[in-house]
């Protein structure tokens, strides 16, 4: 038999209404806890520690971003200041370009570079020293953040713009971009504006580096991190493993090393007429021959190569003079790139 709600007794309807009201109140209470509390107060003092530990959301508990623990107040932040029992001194105030926040009766208080706890102490000290309040109790919160935006370009896994709550070290920024790719060179460049001029600083960071060189270099809002590609030398023609090969950490590689990275020449190679093709800044190419056999015997010193050089080992039946440059360049453009000797 189907039951109709119209046939229920009055006490049943009353209980159902009470249950529904209780569930609604619980849901509203849960929703109220979804905001991340960065509040620090003189009376409670529990806001920042709990916010650093976790963030409650409607789907459960999620981790707060790691840089929240490093958060320092910056120009552009909108601070919510509550002075206990003093509504005229409370409100939301923007941190100015000089790092000061202008508060009623107190004037400017410098807070840029401070944590929330430090800024709260600075405001309370100002109230005391200015003889405005004897025992001030200040609660401080961040109403709006001014995120740090950094651009990462070049040989990283995830190039693009990174948005962070606080400045990070150069080592952290590279890690946040997914780390370097296999083609990254041994230098990282940091570009920033300084007194109206663009300044580019290079830091050594090779594939075998421990990261100490960039562990203390700070990256600030608006900076650009550039990870250039390592220099590549191409070894083509009659070699066992033709392809492109990354130059060493110091950017040096000679012809003998490059050919050995290609696993040496084949039986059909003309080792007396190895060709080196070098691009020029104007888009043209210069080429010269190398007697690889004499180089192996130690009669000729192996020449140092430059990035984008092409070593071409011709067939013993093919004269070097007849080597078509466009064919070699096309082969280089399609060549596989090898990072290390395998």
């Amino acid at each position: 038999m189907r039951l109709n709600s119209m046939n229920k007794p009055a006490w049943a309807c009353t209980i159902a209404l009470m249950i529904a009201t209780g569930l609604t109140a619980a849901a509203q209470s849960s929703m109220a806890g979804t905001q991340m509390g960065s509040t620090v107060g003189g009376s409670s003092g529990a806001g920042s520690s709990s916010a650093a530990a976790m963030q409650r959301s409607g789907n459960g508990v999620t981790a707060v971003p790691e840089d929240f623990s490093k958060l320092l107040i910056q120009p552009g932040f909108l601070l919510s200041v509550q002075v206990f029992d003093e509504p005229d001194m409370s409100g939301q105030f923007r941190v100015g370009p000089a790092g000061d926040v202008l508060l009623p009766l107190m004037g400017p208080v410098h807070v840029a570079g401070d944590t929330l706890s430090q800024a709260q102490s600075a405001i309370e000290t100002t109230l005391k020293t200015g003889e405005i309040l004897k025992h001030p109790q200040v609660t401080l919160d961040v109403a709006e953040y001014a995120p740090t935006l950094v651009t990462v370009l070049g040989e990283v896994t995830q190039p693009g713009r990174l948005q962070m709550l606080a400045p990070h070290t150069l080592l952290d920024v590279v890690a946040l971009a997914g780390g370097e790719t296999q083609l990254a060179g041994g230098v990282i460049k940091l570009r920033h504006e300084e007194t109206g001029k663009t300044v580019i600083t290079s830091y050594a960071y090779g594939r075998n580096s421990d990261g100490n060189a960039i562990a203390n270099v700070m990256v600030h809002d608006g900076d650009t991190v550039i990870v250039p590609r390592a220099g590549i030398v191409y070894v083509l023609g009659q070699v066992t493993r033709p392809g492109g090969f990354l130059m060493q950490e110091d950017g040096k590689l000679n012809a003998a090393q490059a050919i050995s990275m290609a696993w040496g020449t084949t039986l059909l190679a003309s080792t007396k007429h190895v060709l080196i093709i070098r691009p020029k800044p104007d888009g043209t190419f210069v080429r010269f021959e190398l007697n690889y056999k004499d180089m192996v015997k130690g009669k000729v010193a192996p020449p140092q190569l430059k990035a984008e050089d092409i070593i071409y080992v011709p067939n013993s039946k093919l004269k070097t003079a007849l080597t078509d440059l466009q064919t070699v360049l096309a082969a280089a453009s399609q060549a596989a790139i090898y990072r290390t000797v395998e």
Side-chain angles (χ1 to χ4, degrees):
M1 180 177 63
R2 180 179 297 178
L3 296 178
N4 192 298
S5 59
M6 295 296 293
N7 298 325
K8 292 181 180 178
W11 60 265
C13 295
T14 302
I15 293 176
L17 179 60
M18 292 174 62
I19 293 175
T21 304
L23 291 176
T24 302
Q28 291 176 347
S29 175
S30 175
M31 292 177 64
T34 61
Q35 295 182 348
M36 181 172 61
S38 56
T39 303
V40 241
S43 56
S44 64
S48 62
S49 59
S50 62
M54 65 182 64
Q55 174 184 2
R56 297 189 179 275
S57 67
N59 297 325
V61 178
T62 58
V64 169
E66 179 269 340
D67 52 0
F68 185 82
S69 61
K70 303 178 182 178
L71 178 65
L72 300 178
I73 297 174
Q74 302 176 52
F77 274 33
L78 182 64
L79 301 180
S80 177
V81 182
Q82 301 296 325
V83 182
F84 179 71
D85 207 24
E86 297 291 340
D88 293 339
M89 297 182 184
S90 303
Q92 293 186 343
F93 308 94
R94 184 79 62 180
V95 180
D100 298 332
V101 58
L102 187 61
L103 302 174
L105 302 180
M106 288 177 274
V109 179
H110 189 77
V111 294
D114 291 346
T115 63
L116 289 173
S117 296
Q118 292 171 337
Q120 170 200 303
S121 298
I123 296 173
E124 290 178 345
T125 300
T126 302
L127 288 170
K128 291 179 183 178
T129 57
E131 299 183 352
I132 302 172
L133 294 175
K134 289 184 177 181
H135 303 289
Q137 294 183 3
V138 177
T139 300
L140 191 62
D141 192 9
V142 179
E144 289 180 7
Y145 295 95
T148 299
L149 294 176
V150 175
T151 303
V152 186
L153 304 175
E155 293 300 329
V156 291
T157 305
Q158 298 174 344
R161 301 192 74 186
L162 291 177
Q163 180 171 312
M164 305 173 292
L165 291 181
H168 280 254
T169 66
L170 185 53
L171 185 62
D172 287 343
V173 170
V174 173
L176 289 170
E180 292 186 315
T181 69
Q182 298 291 314
L183 301 181
V187 173
I188 294 180
K189 298 182 179 181
L190 178 60
R191 182 173 64 196
H192 66 278
E193 298 295 326
E194 188 174 302
T195 63
K197 296 182 180 179
T198 300
V199 178
I200 299 178
T201 308
S202 297
Y203 299 93
Y205 181 68
R207 292 183 291 275
N208 299 322
S209 172
D210 56 7
N212 287 337
I214 61 174
N216 296 318
V217 178
M218 296 304 299
V219 182
H220 299 279
D221 184 43
D223 287 356
T224 300
V225 177
I226 305 170
V227 182
R229 173 177 290 194
I232 298 178
V233 169
Y234 299 91
V235 185
L236 306 172
Q238 294 300 320
V239 291
T240 305
R241 184 179 65 164
F245 301 90
L246 298 186
M247 303 184 78
Q248 297 175 0
E249 293 293 346
D250 56 2
K252 296 180 179 179
L253 187 69
N254 62 42
Q257 293 170 329
I259 293 177
S260 67
M261 293 172 75
W263 293 350
T265 60
T266 68
L267 295 176
L268 299 178
S270 176
T271 56
K272 292 184 179 180
H273 303 285
V274 174
L275 187 66
I276 297 180
I277 302 173
R278 177 166 296 164
K280 297 172 64 177
D282 60 1
T284 61
F285 295 85
V286 60
R287 48 183 172 177
F288 50 91
E289 287 189 11
L290 170 68
N291 191 323
Y292 179 67
K293 183 178 291 186
D294 288 346
M295 185 177 65
V296 172
K297 294 179 179 180
K299 297 180 180 180
V300 178
Q304 290 293 328
L305 301 174
K306 295 183 178 181
E308 304 302 321
D309 277 0
I310 300 174
I311 297 179
Y312 182 77
V313 182
N315 190 298
S316 58
K317 297 181 180 180
L318 181 65
K319 294 182 179 180
T320 306
L322 299 178
T323 301
D324 180 58
L325 178 60
Q326 296 302 321
T327 301
V328 175
L329 296 179
S333 66
Q334 301 175 6
I337 305 298
Y338 300 99
R339 181 176 179 269
T340 57
V341 181
E342 298 178 0

